[in-house]
Amino acid sequence: MEQEFEKRVNYLSLTVFFLAMVLVARLFYVQIVRGAYYLVRAERNSTREIVVDAPRGDIETADGMTLVSSRPAYVVSYLVPSDTAKQEKVIPLLAQLLEDYGVTEEGIRQAIKDNAWQRYRPIRLAVDVAEETILKIDEQRMDLPGVVVERQAVRDYPHGNLACYLIGGLGAITPNKLEEYTAAGYRRDATVGIFGLENAYENVDPKISLRGQDGYRQVEVDTYGRLVADVGEIPAVPGNKMTLTIHSDLQIAAEQAIADVVKKLDDGSTRYKQKPDRAAAVVLNTNTGEILAWASYPDFAPGNWAQTPNLWTSNIPLNAYPVGSTFKPLVSLVALTEEVVAPDEKFYCPGYFQVGATRKTCHKKSGHGRLTLEEGIKVSCNVVYYDIAQRLVQKYGRAGAMDKIGDMVKKLKFAEELPLDFAPGYLRASGIIPTSENFRRIYNATPYPGEVWDVAIGQGIVEFTPFQMAMYASLLANGGYRYQPYLVQKITDPEGNITFQAEPKLLDKIEIDAEALELVRRGMHEVMLPARPGGPGYGSAYYLFTYDPVLRDGQKVEVAGKTGSAQTIPGVTAHSWFVGYAPFENPEIAMAVFVAHGRSGAAGAVPVAHAIFKAYFEGLPETLVPMSP
């Protein structure tokens, strides 16, 4: 009996010893082998990591005006407690306090679900929260465990909407981009560029990115998720500064002049049923391709772009419209190079042009009388161009005549879409090149002579963008040198080191008959001048440029240009166009201006062009101060 008892005691002792050894082994494994791992997990039970957004890099003009920078603002986040009951007490109250920022109970719950994989980090709910709301949150702090209020960097626009289509806008990562951004190391709740420069220079080489490197705060929290103390911090690194080719004087002048013209033409006239509702101005350096101004109307608030649905996507300089008589210089080149017109030949305009039963009128019903091609450009005589079109029809046939005009369009590279680094996110419509193939595609027919006539005056199937028309003006100005347009001049890192410097890039030297081009250029110069003795009349843009001439150091700057009044459909107010350059002899800048339903070239586009030329050569008037929010 005693032996049996001792045996049982021995078994029990061995069992206890074995269990003790297992416990010791487990403690050794947990504390020694896996100690570091469990230490981190234990620390995460009492500490949390709060992201400190890096300030995005400033964007400034070539002359040093800051278009967008960063400023500190309140951000409200939610450090979600594991206790569901605590969540249910906080969520309704938090949604009520942040109602003005689009925060709802459903939205908070969905955010918690989406971020379940990183529960130890606060979920950002509202950015740029007003101090009044922050005070309300502070007053109810005991009822809001886990709610974190921080100061983070947000975008600031010191000059309001100025250059908004270039800057672009920020927003949350869209679902179709989530995989791309998270693979690049972005947080799911990160704010990123959605369009414009903000997008183009977002997820790129850090040396040129507007985005900086986020920092982190390590904070200690209690069991209710309330912050107890700061443990440590990794500072954020600001993004790179971007300097554009835009000149503030020209940008301000363009945007203000467009706004003034739109207001002036919105006069309730019963003759003009449509008021201007879209407009654009593009200014280029003819010798480098630098974009000196880029205006699009209507504008939007880049810090609140989402409240202007379907507006910000329409960057007007990238959308095609009928171009009207601004097309006549190109048709003049066709006429001269195809030798259907002699440079000194006289046309006759009785106020109409008729072949058989087809008859079309000139804009001057009484006619211009006898005039040369150069004078035809000056007064924008339709009859001259109807006659040219008919001569092309006689020489090449109906389809061939239209194709000859289309060939010149292609030669001047209208068909080639150029890359623009600020274009992501915008709709682009490159227009219609007038060819017999395109005519058949649209109308399922071969063009009649009268339709070739329409093309010769920039009507019919002729549509181009203000950007394309600015490139066209630049080619006429510089003799066929085609540069890659660019907007970003340089990028500088936070230490002041230049990480990118743009250089002009010559794409083509287009061979244009020198004598033909010189005649066209002279005609465009005459457009800006009053009538000459014995001539057919005054230039179609003479008035402003005669009575308020453009000056440089007190001397008149000679300007060349062409106006256009582009018809759309009967009864609808015409679009207004101007293309031009200056100085006439040694061009520096070229531009295109477009005002939808601006009546005539002289009424809508010319005042805008005049203001831009004045700003470039004379500086911004003192009365025209930079726009503010």
Side-chain angles (χ1 to χ4, degrees):
M1 190 70 172
E2 290 182 357
Q3 288 181 349
E4 184 66 25
F5 177 77
E6 287 180 0
K7 190 175 181 179
R8 290 182 179 181
V9 169
N10 289 336
Y11 282 142
L12 182 60
S13 298
L14 287 172
T15 301
V16 171
F17 177 79
F18 176 78
L19 292 175
M21 291 304 295
V22 169
L23 180 59
V24 169
R26 181 61 182 167
L27 288 172
F28 178 85
Y29 176 81
V30 170
Q31 294 188 14
I32 306 301
V33 178
R34 298 281 283 170
Y37 169 78
Y38 287 107
L39 176 62
V40 171
R41 294 198 62 180
E43 286 177 348
R44 282 188 174 173
N45 288 331
S46 58
T47 61
R48 296 291 185 270
E49 198 174 68
I50 297 177
V51 177
V52 178
D53 280 350
R56 295 179 73 85
D58 290 357
I59 301 176
E60 65 177 18
T61 63
D63 51 327
M65 173 186 281
T66 300
L67 296 173
V68 56
S69 60
S70 296
R71 61 175 173 80
Y74 288 110
V75 176
V76 177
S77 303
Y78 186 33
L79 190 57
V80 184
S82 56
D83 189 334
T84 304
K86 292 177 182 177
Q87 294 180 29
E88 291 305 315
K89 290 181 180 179
V90 171
I91 290 173
L93 177 57
L94 188 55
Q96 181 183 348
L97 290 168
L98 298 177
E99 181 181 5
D100 292 343
Y101 301 91
V103 177
T104 63
E105 292 187 41
E106 294 75 15
I108 296 174
R109 291 192 174 92
Q110 185 61 47
I112 293 172
K113 183 179 178 181
D114 292 343
N115 289 272
W117 61 282
Q118 53 173 12
R119 296 178 66 90
Y120 58 91
R121 285 186 177 178
I123 299 170
R124 186 167 300 167
L125 298 177
V127 178
D128 204 5
V129 179
E131 191 166 354
E132 179 183 352
T133 302
I134 298 302
L135 290 173
K136 292 179 180 178
I137 291 174
D138 286 340
E139 289 171 358
Q140 303 183 64
R141 176 64 66 186
M142 296 304 295
D143 297 323
L144 295 169
V147 174
V148 180
V149 176
E150 321 157 61
R151 295 280 273 180
Q152 297 274 23
V154 299
R155 275 317 212 185
D156 185 46
Y157 306 91
H159 301 288
N161 301 354
L162 188 67
C164 57
Y165 282 91
L166 301 180
I167 296 167
L170 302 172
I173 298 174
T174 54
N176 64 316
K177 290 284 187 178
L178 184 59
E179 183 177 349
E180 173 189 334
Y181 277 116
T182 52
Y186 282 69
R187 308 185 320 274
R188 288 172 176 262
D189 64 345
T191 299
V192 298
I194 301 298
F195 59 100
L197 288 170
E198 296 279 27
N199 173 267
Y201 290 86
E202 175 67 51
N203 187 17
V204 293
D205 186 333
K207 291 182 179 179
I208 62 171
S209 178
L210 287 168
R211 185 179 188 81
Q213 183 178 341
D214 289 344
Y216 297 92
R217 283 174 58 208
Q218 202 82 14
V219 296
E220 186 178 342
V221 297
D222 61 18
T223 56
Y224 292 95
R226 293 179 294 213
L227 270 64
V228 175
D230 283 319
V231 177
E233 181 176 2
I234 299 175
V237 179
N240 301 302
K241 182 173 74 173
M242 179 178 288
T243 302
L244 307 182
T245 55
I246 294 296
H247 284 236
S248 63
D249 283 4
L250 301 189
Q251 188 70 27
I252 292 169
E255 294 194 18
Q256 188 61 56
I258 286 173
D260 291 344
V261 163
V262 169
K263 182 178 180 181
K264 180 180 178 181
L265 297 184
D266 186 16
D267 55 8
S269 170
T270 55
R271 180 182 175 187
Y272 301 101
K273 296 179 181 179
Q274 288 76 31
K275 67 177 183 178
D277 58 354
R278 286 153 290 159
V282 178
V283 185
L284 302 174
N285 183 321
T286 59
N287 302 309
T288 64
E290 291 172 290
I291 298 172
L292 304 179
W294 183 286
S296 183
Y297 177 91
D299 60 9
F300 62 90
N304 195 28
W305 59 269
Q307 301 306 311
T308 52
N310 304 321
L311 171 63
W312 60 267
T313 58
S314 297
N315 197 340
I316 303 304
L318 300 175
N319 289 273
Y321 300 91
V323 298
S325 295
T326 57
F327 198 59
K328 289 175 179 175
L330 182 145
V331 176
S332 300
L333 292 176
V334 176
L336 292 165
T337 55
E338 295 300 325
E339 297 182 340
V340 296
V341 172
D344 57 352
E345 180 180 350
K346 290 275 189 175
F347 295 83
Y348 178 65
C349 170
Y352 62 89
F353 185 77
Q354 184 166 349
V355 174
T358 303
R359 177 171 177 159
K360 290 183 181 291
T361 60
C362 187
H363 64 84
K364 186 178 182 181
K365 304 302 182 186
S366 61
H368 290 102
R370 295 199 173 276
L371 70 171
T372 64
L373 178 58
E374 182 179 321
E375 291 171 328
I377 296 172
K378 174 175 184 170
V379 298
S380 200
C381 176
N382 285 349
V383 167
V384 168
Y385 291 91
Y386 293 148
D387 196 339
I388 289 171
Q390 183 60 22
R391 296 182 191 191
L392 289 170
V393 169
Q394 291 170 346
K395 187 173 182 178
Y396 297 108
R398 294 174 294 168
M402 187 172 285
D403 286 337
K404 282 297 177 182
I405 297 173
D407 288 345
M408 183 61 74
V409 173
K410 294 175 184 177
K411 182 176 182 178
L412 298 184
K413 303 297 179 99
F414 278 68
E416 186 173 324
E417 184 171 296
L418 294 170
L420 295 171
D421 53 9
F422 58 91
Y426 292 125
L427 302 175
R428 294 185 74 166
S430 57
I432 305 173
I433 296 175
T435 64
S436 59
E437 181 183 353
N438 282 336
F439 192 90
R440 282 191 294 270
R441 178 177 56 81
I442 296 169
Y443 297 109
N444 195 29
T446 299
Y448 286 98
E451 287 154 342
V452 181
W453 300 2
D454 286 342
V455 165
I457 64 168
Q459 297 293 155
I461 60 165
V462 183
E463 290 188 4
F464 298 112
T465 70
F467 171 57
Q468 289 172 316
M469 297 302 283
M471 290 291 291
Y472 160 59
S474 183
L475 287 174
L476 296 176
N478 66 25
Y481 290 92
R482 181 168 167 269
Y483 291 93
Q484 167 64 49
Y486 63 98
L487 179 69
V488 178
Q489 185 183 95
K490 67 178 179 179
I491 296 176
T492 311
D493 69 17
E495 286 74 42
N497 303 306
I498 296 175
T499 58
F500 170 80
Q501 180 72 59
E503 296 291 342
K505 180 181 179 181
L506 180 64
L507 298 175
D508 303 282
K509 171 58 173 76
I510 298 170
E511 296 302 323
I512 305 173
D513 183 272
E515 292 184 5
L517 180 59
E518 183 58 29
L519 185 149
V520 167
R521 284 166 50 87
R522 290 198 307 268
M524 293 177 70
H525 182 214
E526 287 289 331
V527 166
M528 323 306 292
L529 301 177
R532 296 184 184 276
Y538 52 78
S540 57
Y542 92 99
Y543 187 84
L544 272 177
F545 288 91
T546 298
Y547 295 103
D548 186 11
V550 177
L551 303 176
R552 173 184 267 175
D553 299 327
Q555 300 296 312
K556 182 182 178 182
V557 175
E558 299 296 337
V559 179
K562 185 69 193 79
T563 58
S565 303
Q567 304 295 324
T568 53
I569 57 177
V572 174
T573 307
H575 298 322
S576 174
W577 281 92
F578 175 88
V579 296
Y581 58 89
F584 170 58
E585 291 295 344
N586 296 294
E588 297 174 19
I589 64 169
M591 72 177 69
V593 178
F594 165 76
V595 181
H597 309 304
R599 303 182 183 180
S600 67
V606 167
V608 177
H610 180 259
I612 295 171
F613 279 125
K614 296 279 279 186
Y616 180 84
F617 291 102
E618 300 177 17
L620 203 63
E622 292 183 5
T623 54
L624 192 58
V625 296
M627 286 174 273
S628 58

